[in-house]
Amino acid sequence: MFGISPSARLRPSSYFAATLAEGVQSFTTYNNMLLPTDYGHPEEEYWRLINGVSQWDVAVQRQVQLQGPDAGALAQMLTPRDLSGCVAGQGKYVALCDHEGTLINDPLLLKLDENRYWLSIADSNIWFWARAVAAERGLKVEVSEPDVSPMAVQGPKGEEVVASIFGGWVRDLKYFWFRQSEIEGIPVIVARSGWSKQGGFEIYLMDGTQGMRLWNLVKEAGQPWDIGPGGPNFAERVESGLLSFGGDTDARTNPFEVRLGKYIDLGVAAKVIGIEALRRIHAGGPKRQQLGLVLDGDQPTTLGFNWNEIHCDGHSIGHLTNCVWSWRLRRNIGFALVAGTCRAGERVEITREGQIISGELVELPFL
Ligand code: THG
């Protein structure tokens, strides 16, 4: 189709050569890197994630490291989720907001020790943001991007594969918890996490020169369970109701609109960025909400990420922020970012190239 010109701005993943050897067919961009999205067999890759185990290059999930005596203080200023109970070895899903309460990223936070945290970020530049906040508030903390490259092992057989490599202790990890380890001298962190609801782990490689070796170690260990390459799966994540920051959000989305209200602790201190705005937004009731939309018809459509307008009784109620064919539901499904007054069960319409497609609003997740 077309090529991509190399430049110093397009940073290579440690697993890039490994994914080329696997026959990667397409990429998307994320944090100034390429994220492999498919290996030419989308349906097979989907069912492998649902029934087996899939190996993903998710090195685009960059780590923003906060290190120093004020690392914990900065982490708490950056997120309106109360971190006071978070201990070393624990991860938490957090929202980052600006001063207006607008969502600017939704990372996993990993507490490595009292003086060191990682924000495993979605697609926006939090390195700039954290450095600016640290400097403006006079904090003793160094903000950096360490040499860390996550690989995901996702699917119901993922635990078998990861336990066969690292040992049975991985079975005792709670969701989002992690532990430092190594395999054949390669330093890693093993966490129970990943952007699917099919179970699995993420292995954070801490030596970027070892990407090919780690990829092949996991690939070989996974052979008994028929492991194969894949990537964050569009259909599965929509079925499971996982949010894609930047895809399902726009420049004015607040966390309450996209089902992240449960990660906002309204009682955190006033120095937490955005908390005063979030209290006001919460008191006023959110203007928009995120629901699911199931379109009528049992053939895949080409509707993608165009934020198509959704209509109800002839007036616009919001947008369809994504749309994908679900192999399990055998319907086209997507996320609807719609007025707070809409309800599950309502019939709505979207227009594609002059043609009307009807559907029904439902609660998320779909499955
Ligand atoms: N793993 C790591 N880094 C990441 C992601 C990841 N960075 C980018 C992106 N993904 C961050 N966003 C999310 C979004 C959802 C979840 C994780 C990261 C997630 N959510 C579950 C849910 O919504 O049901 C569980 C939330 C909970 O129980 O707190 O897993 O995947 N390293």
Side-chain angles (χ1 to χ4, degrees):
M1 193 178 41
F2 54 79
I4 296 170
S5 307
S7 83
R9 294 179 305 277
L10 186 61
R11 304 176 300 169
S13 160
S14 305
Y15 310 114
F16 185 61
T19 62
L20 288 183
E22 294 280 6
V24 63
Q25 292 295 303
S26 10
F27 297 92
T28 187
T29 63
Y30 201 98
N31 284 330
N32 285 26
M33 294 176 69
L34 295 176
L35 168 61
T37 48
D38 86 74
Y39 290 79
H41 309 280
E43 182 165 4
E44 191 180 310
E45 289 160 32
Y46 170 85
W47 289 114
R48 181 183 289 139
L49 171 62
I50 304 297
N51 298 320
V53 54
S54 182
Q55 182 179 7
W56 304 354
D57 168 5
V58 284
V60 299
Q61 295 169 174
R62 304 312 294 168
Q63 310 307 303
V64 175
Q65 175 168 283
L66 319 179
Q67 181 162 29
D70 288 335
L74 177 58
Q76 185 63 86
M77 285 175 199
L78 293 175
T79 178
R81 183 166 185 180
D82 180 7
L83 300 178
S84 59
C86 189
V87 301
Q90 188 177 8
K92 277 179 184 281
Y93 180 40
V94 299
L96 306 190
C97 296
D98 67 11
H99 300 76
E100 279 74 54
T102 301
L103 189 68
I104 59 166
N105 204 292
D106 68 333
L108 287 189
L109 173 141
L110 289 81
K111 179 170 178 175
L112 295 136
D113 60 51
E114 290 309 317
N115 297 322
R116 193 155 68 109
Y117 291 72
W118 286 350
L119 295 170
S120 183
I121 58 171
D123 184 26
S124 71
N125 195 325
I126 296 306
W127 181 81
F128 278 141
W129 178 254
R131 288 169 75 91
V133 172
E136 291 287 330
R137 305 250 175 134
L139 299 178
K140 288 193 182 61
V141 57
E142 190 194 324
V143 179
S144 63
E145 188 188 281
D147 173 11
V148 176
S149 305
M151 174 198 300
V153 180
Q154 297 289 295
K157 310 266 171 69
E159 183 166 310
E160 297 307 323
V161 176
V162 175
S164 79
I165 301 169
F166 294 100
W169 60 266
V170 303
R171 299 184 194 278
D172 301 325
L173 280 177
K174 288 182 278 185
Y175 206 70
F176 289 147
W177 288 62
F178 61 89
R179 200 210 268 188
Q180 194 158 335
S181 184
E182 59 138 54
I183 172 73
E184 296 191 5
I186 307 171
V188 296
I189 276 174
V190 181
R192 189 188 289 276
S193 56
W195 207 56
S196 86
K197 287 300 221 176
Q198 307 311 311
F201 291 79
E202 290 182 302
I203 304 170
Y204 293 71
L205 169 64
M206 296 193 286
D207 177 353
T209 67
Q210 300 299 309
M212 183 64 105
R213 266 184 78 212
L214 181 65
W215 183 277
N216 286 328
L217 271 165
V218 172
K219 179 179 173 164
E220 276 155 38
Q223 289 314 305
W225 295 277
D226 215 13
I227 200 169
N233 192 280
F234 183 26
E236 191 279 339
R237 77 93 180 170
V238 174
E239 293 169 344
S240 299
L242 291 172
L243 180 73
S244 177
F245 171 79
D248 301 319
T249 61
D250 61 18
R252 58 192 182 96
T253 305
N254 68 63
F256 303 111
E257 295 176 323
V258 288
R259 299 173 295 126
L260 301 186
K262 56 181 179 288
Y263 307 114
I264 308 299
D265 292 303
L266 291 169
V268 293
K271 62 180 181 243
V272 173
I273 296 172
I275 192 59
E276 283 165 3
L278 289 164
R279 286 187 196 127
R280 276 197 306 275
I281 294 166
H282 186 259
K287 304 268 179 298
R288 295 186 295 181
Q289 62 175 329
Q290 195 176 46
L291 292 170
L293 175 53
V294 180
L295 296 178
D296 296 348
D298 57 6
Q299 297 302 313
T301 89
T302 53
L303 285 165
F305 303 93
N306 343 341
W307 283 59
N308 290 270
E309 259 189 19
I310 304 174
H311 293 266
C312 185
D313 296 332
H315 57 268
S316 173
I317 56 164
H319 298 92
L320 184 63
T321 67
N322 63 51
C323 187
V324 69
W325 173 253
S326 163
W327 279 286
R328 282 182 289 176
L329 295 170
R330 304 205 63 77
R331 285 287 181 281
N332 296 293
I333 60 172
F335 292 0
L337 188 56
V338 291
T341 50
C342 295
R343 291 292 167 261
E346 280 171 14
R347 299 286 304 170
V348 299
E349 290 173 342
I350 57 165
T351 310
R352 186 196 48 189
E353 291 165 5
Q355 193 197 342
I356 290 172
I357 309 175
S358 308
E360 184 172 322
L361 295 176
V362 299
E363 296 291 347
L364 287 171
F366 293 96
L367 288 170

